[in-house]
Amino acid sequence: MTAPPLVPLQEIPVTDSPYVLLFGSLYLLLVLAIGVWGYLQTESTADFLITGKSIGTWVLALTAFSVIQSGFGFVGGPELVYSFGTTALWIFFTAPLGFVVTWILLAKRMRLLADIRDVMTIADGMYVRYESAWVRGLTAVAVVVGVMAYLATNLAALQYVMRAIFGLPVVWGLFIGALILLLYSMLGGMIAGVWTDFVQAITMIVGAVFVFAFALSFGGGMETISRNLASADPSFVSPFGAMGAPVATVFTALGWWILFSIGAAGQPHLVTKFYMSRNLRILRWGAPIAAVTYAISSLLAFSTGLSMRSMVESGQAAAPKSASVVGPVFVLEHTPGVLAGLILAALLAAIMSTSDSFLNIGAAAVARDIPRALGRPIEDDETELRVTQAALAGITIVSTLIVYFSEALVGILGTIGWGFFAAAFFAIAALGLNWKGATKEGAIAALVGGLVVNLFYSAVPRIADTAGLGGLASTVASLYPFPESFPVGTVALLVTVVLFVVVSLATQGDRTVPRDIAVLIER
C-alpha cells in the first residue's frame, strides 16, 4: 500500500540476533546477484521495462501481490490494527478483491495492448487509447510525482531497517541502501525487480504463517485476545473498529473499502505487470493466487496488531513507543531469531523490490513518455535504454537527497500514495479500456481533477504547517466536506470517475475509436 512512514521507524530497536544479520546479508547479496543476472538478460528497452513479455502465472501473481503488500504488511498494517482494531481489517478484507477487480478490468486488455501496439508504460497505453499527447504527458507527470513520493518514503524507511539489521548509523544506512538499490535497479531493470518480488512474496507468506501462530500463542489465543480488547474498548472488536465516533467509523470503513477494492486497478506498478505476461492463457489464475497470498500475508498484521494491543491492555506487556513499530518490535522481541531474521530481511527486500518497480516506471516516464509527449522521442532503442538508466540514477539521487536534507518534505510526499495513483489512473485506464465512449477530454479532466483534489487536501495542509502557516492549514482542513478519517484518496477517486464520465459524455460527438482498440475493448 502506502510506503512506511518516516519518523516512527526511528524507534525500531537494533537487533542483537546473529540470524537477523545473517539473513539481511544474504538478502542483500541475493538482490545484487539477481541484478547482475537481470543485466545479462537485458538486451533492449523492452527487456528492461517489461521483461520481454517473459513471466509466467505464479511469478506474475506473486509479483502483483508483493508490490501491493510491500512493507505495509509489516509496518503500516500492524500499526493500524493496533491503533483502531477491526477498522483496519476493512483494508485487508477488500484488498484481495482489488486483485480480482484489476484482473477483470485490465489484465487481458493490457496484455493485448502490448501485442497490437508498441507499449511499455502506462502512458504509452493511454496515448494509444486516447491518441492525445496531453494525456500521455499528464500521465507521465502523475507517474513522476507519485514515484518521487513513494521512493522518498521508502528510502526513509530503508535507512532505519538497515540500522536495525546491521547496526549502521542512520545516514550510512540511507546511502549504502540507496547505492545497493541503484546498482540493482540499473543492472537488472524490471527483470530483477520481478524476481526479487517473487522471492520476497514467498518469504512473506511463509513468515506470516509462523508469526500468526506465535502471535496467537503470545496473546493466549483468539478468545483471550478478543476478551481483553472488548474489556478495554468494545469497539476494538466491533464490525467497524474504533476509529472515531460510530458513524464516522462506518463512513471510514466504507471509504477504505472503495479505495482498496477499486483503487488497485489504478496502481501503475501493478497494472503494467500485465504487459509482461508470457501469453493470455497464464492470466487466468493470477487473480485468485494474488488474492489468496495477499490474504495469507495479512495474517501478520492482523495477529501482531491485535495480540500486542490485547497484552498491553491486560497489563502483561509494555506499550511500544509508537504504534508504527508494533510489527517490527513483536517480531524482534517475541519470535525466534531465525524467524525474526527471515521477516526483517523480507521487509528489506520489500522496500528494495518495490522501490525498483517505482524507479523503473518513473525513469520510463522521464526518458520515454515525456519526450514523446513533447514530440521529441528517442528513436534509437539502445540510446533510449541508456537514457532510461540515467533517469533511474537521477531519480534515486534526488530522492536520497530529499531524505537526507528534508524530513519535512518526506512527510509531505508521504501524503501522496495509493490514493494518488488510484485517482489518477483508475478512470482513464480501467474504465477507458472498457468503454468506447471515453474521450481524451474526459481523460484530461480526470487526470487534472485527481491531481488537484489529492494535492489540495493532502499536501497543501502539510506544506502550510511546515511553512508556519497554521491558519492556512486549518482553513484547507475546514473545507474538507467529510470526517477527517475518511480517506482523501477515496474522495479524489470518486471525483475523477464523475469527471471522466460526465466530460466524456459531453464531448463524444461522432468520434470513433481506432479499429484495433475497439476490438480490444469489446473482448
Side-chain angles (χ1 to χ4, degrees):
M1 305 301 179
T2 54
L6 169 65
V7 176
L9 289 179
Q10 296 175 8
E11 297 165 2
I12 293 179
V14 177
T15 182
D16 57 359
S17 169
Y19 293 105
V20 173
L21 180 61
L22 174 63
F23 277 100
S25 300
L26 289 176
Y27 251 86
L28 286 182
L29 291 174
L30 178 62
V31 161
L32 288 174
I34 291 175
V36 172
W37 173 80
Y39 175 76
L40 297 175
Q41 307 300 311
T42 300
E43 297 179 355
S44 66
T45 304
D47 290 338
F48 192 83
L49 294 179
I50 59 172
T51 72
K53 303 176 186 176
S54 63
I55 61 177
T57 302
W58 280 92
V59 176
L60 175 64
L62 293 185
T63 297
F65 135 66
S66 180
V67 296
I68 294 302
Q69 184 66 284
S70 186
F72 177 81
F74 189 54
V75 179
E79 172 191 4
L80 290 174
V81 175
Y82 180 90
S83 299
F84 306 115
T86 47
T87 307
L89 298 184
W90 282 87
I91 295 177
F92 300 116
F93 289 156
T94 57
L97 176 60
F99 292 108
V100 178
V101 170
T102 303
W103 248 261
I104 291 173
L105 293 178
L106 285 173
K108 181 170 67 175
R109 289 170 175 81
M110 293 285 282
R111 183 59 185 81
L112 285 171
L113 202 58
D115 278 341
I116 65 177
R117 297 291 187 96
D118 177 27
V119 295
M120 299 184 199
T121 66
I122 191 168
D124 279 342
M126 295 308 96
Y127 175 75
V128 167
R129 170 62 184 87
Y130 299 104
E131 299 184 305
S132 167
W134 276 98
V135 172
R136 187 203 286 273
L138 286 171
T139 299
V141 169
V143 166
V144 172
V145 172
V147 162
M148 292 297 292
Y150 266 113
L151 190 58
T153 48
N154 268 281
L155 287 173
L158 177 62
Q159 62 187 342
Y160 295 109
V161 174
M162 292 285 286
R163 171 166 171 74
I165 295 176
F166 301 107
L168 297 168
V170 170
V171 66
W172 284 108
L174 171 63
F175 287 124
I176 293 174
L179 178 62
I180 293 172
L181 172 64
L182 178 58
L183 290 174
Y184 147 69
S185 301
M186 285 189 68
L187 286 172
M190 195 60 79
I191 295 176
V194 162
W195 284 100
T196 307
D197 283 334
F198 180 71
V199 173
Q200 173 219 331
I202 293 175
T203 305
M204 285 295 290
I205 292 166
V206 173
V209 171
F210 281 104
V211 170
F212 178 71
F214 277 102
L216 287 186
S217 176
F218 176 71
M222 201 64 223
E223 182 179 352
T224 301
I225 292 171
S226 299
R227 185 169 57 249
N228 289 341
L229 292 174
S231 297
D233 183 351
S235 62
F236 265 98
V237 289
S238 69
F240 296 100
M243 183 178 280
V247 174
T249 299
V250 174
F251 206 46
T252 298
L254 176 62
W256 283 359
W257 185 88
I258 294 171
L259 186 59
F260 288 101
S261 62
I262 296 175
Q267 305 303 307
H269 49 300
L270 169 60
V271 301
T272 52
K273 295 288 189 290
F274 297 130
Y275 290 153
M276 307 175 193
S277 63
R278 191 178 303 130
N279 52 52
L280 286 173
R281 183 175 53 82
I282 68 171
L283 294 173
R284 184 176 306 166
W285 294 103
I289 293 172
V292 170
T293 51
Y294 182 95
I296 293 172
S297 72
S298 295
L299 292 173
L300 188 152
F302 168 76
S303 60
T304 56
L306 291 183
S307 182
M308 282 289 284
R309 187 61 185 253
S310 168
M311 296 302 282
V312 169
E313 294 293 347
S314 65
Q316 299 178 63
K321 293 180 180 179
S322 167
S324 293
V325 296
V326 164
V329 166
F330 179 84
V331 168
L332 286 169
E333 296 184 355
H334 301 292
T335 65
V338 172
L339 183 58
L342 190 70
I343 293 295
L344 208 58
L347 174 60
L348 180 63
I351 293 172
M352 287 282 187
S353 59
T354 305
S355 296
D356 175 71
S357 292
F358 287 127
L359 275 172
N360 277 281
I361 63 174
V366 172
R368 180 181 175 87
D369 298 325
I370 292 177
R372 292 185 178 217
L374 296 174
R376 301 179 65 87
I378 301 171
E379 301 291 353
D380 179 68
D381 184 75
E382 184 176 352
T383 302
E384 185 177 56
L385 173 59
R386 301 308 169 210
V387 173
T388 301
Q389 291 172 318
L392 187 149
I395 292 173
T396 304
I397 292 169
V398 170
S399 298
T400 302
L401 293 176
I402 287 173
V403 176
Y404 180 72
F405 286 110
S406 179
E407 184 175 302
L409 184 54
V410 173
I412 292 167
L413 289 172
T415 64
I416 304 169
W418 177 277
F420 178 85
F421 277 147
F425 301 128
F426 171 77
I428 68 170
L431 299 185
L433 288 176
N434 286 274
W435 178 34
K436 287 191 288 187
T439 66
K440 66 180 181 181
E441 290 84 1
I444 291 170
L447 283 163
V448 173
L451 287 168
V452 170
V453 172
N454 264 305
L455 293 177
F456 183 72
Y457 285 121
S458 291
V460 169
R462 293 293 299 270
I463 294 171
D465 268 338
T466 302
L469 302 174
L472 176 60
S474 299
T475 300
V476 172
S478 69
L479 296 175
Y480 189 59
F482 303 99
E484 183 181 357
S485 58
F486 191 77
V488 171
T490 303
V491 177
L493 172 59
L494 296 175
V495 167
T496 59
V497 170
V498 171
L499 285 172
F500 181 70
V501 173
V502 170
V503 175
S504 289
L505 289 173
T507 56
Q508 277 178 354
D510 57 355
R511 299 184 193 185
T512 58
V513 180
R515 181 169 177 76
D516 57 346
I517 303 301
V519 171
L520 179 149
I521 292 173
E522 291 168 355
R523 290 195 60 169

